[in-house]
Amino acid sequence: MFDLLVPAHDALQAGEQNGPGMRSNYCLVKSASTKEGARASLWVSLGRYGRHEGRGPRCLDRDGLLMVINNTNHPVALGDRAVYFIAGDRETGRRINLSTCFGTYGVLVEYEATAVADTAIVESAATVAQEVLSWL
């Protein structure tokens, strides 16, 4: 998947981001810019939610996880619920942020690429999230 969406990418970077009531792992891969300025990057995170401060472990119960302020959130038929927003422009780079919940799991995808149509970037991010969810 990384080779297809981020051609000529550098080494995969991976790590953990844990907080109260949540454990997550992420990976990031970036391409080198071409002479024409084309580039891409893909960041994927899988989080598992637990009980914290009286909250249940369901991903959907997390305030603000699936909604972003100051952007238009678009629903996607994926998992229990999923939304995305797009920022930037085609010439300098479009970025999609897609968030989806499935039970106690949350998948976040941030994909940025230059000269890519909105439909293609949405389909790409949704495919990545769906692939992650398929392993759960």
Side-chain angles (χ1 to χ4, degrees):
M1 183 81 52
F2 290 113
D3 293 338
L4 180 64
L5 296 177
V6 187
H9 61 78
D10 57 4
L12 178 73
Q13 302 170 35
E16 293 182 14
Q17 291 179 316
N18 299 317
M22 192 243 331
R23 297 183 55 89
S24 71
N25 292 297
Y26 70 87
C27 57
L28 168 67
V29 58
K30 296 179 181 181
S31 69
S33 288
T34 65
K35 289 180 183 178
E36 296 80 28
R39 60 178 165 47
S41 67
L42 177 62
W43 180 84
V44 182
S45 175
L46 172 63
R48 178 86 191 258
Y49 296 90
R51 298 185 185 281
H52 180 71
E53 296 179 347
R55 293 185 291 181
R58 289 183 347 138
C59 175
L60 281 174
D61 297 334
R62 302 300 165 143
D63 294 334
L65 182 68
L66 291 173
M67 298 306 244
V68 178
I69 299 172
N70 299 328
N71 284 298
T72 303
N73 293 284
H74 304 278
V76 178
L78 187 62
D80 295 333
R81 184 161 178 231
V83 297
Y84 73 88
F85 72 88
I86 298 177
D89 62 57
R90 288 187 69 188
E91 287 73 36
T92 60
R94 294 291 272 165
R95 185 184 79 244
I96 182 170
N97 288 71
L98 184 141
S99 304
T100 185
C101 286
F102 183 68
T104 60
Y105 292 96
V107 176
L108 305 174
V109 176
E110 184 177 295
Y111 179 46
E112 183 174 2
T114 55
V116 176
D118 287 355
T119 54
I121 204 165
V122 170
E123 289 175 9
S124 297
T127 300
V128 170
Q130 185 174 14
E131 185 67 21
V132 172
L133 290 174
S134 75
W135 285 89
L136 301 179

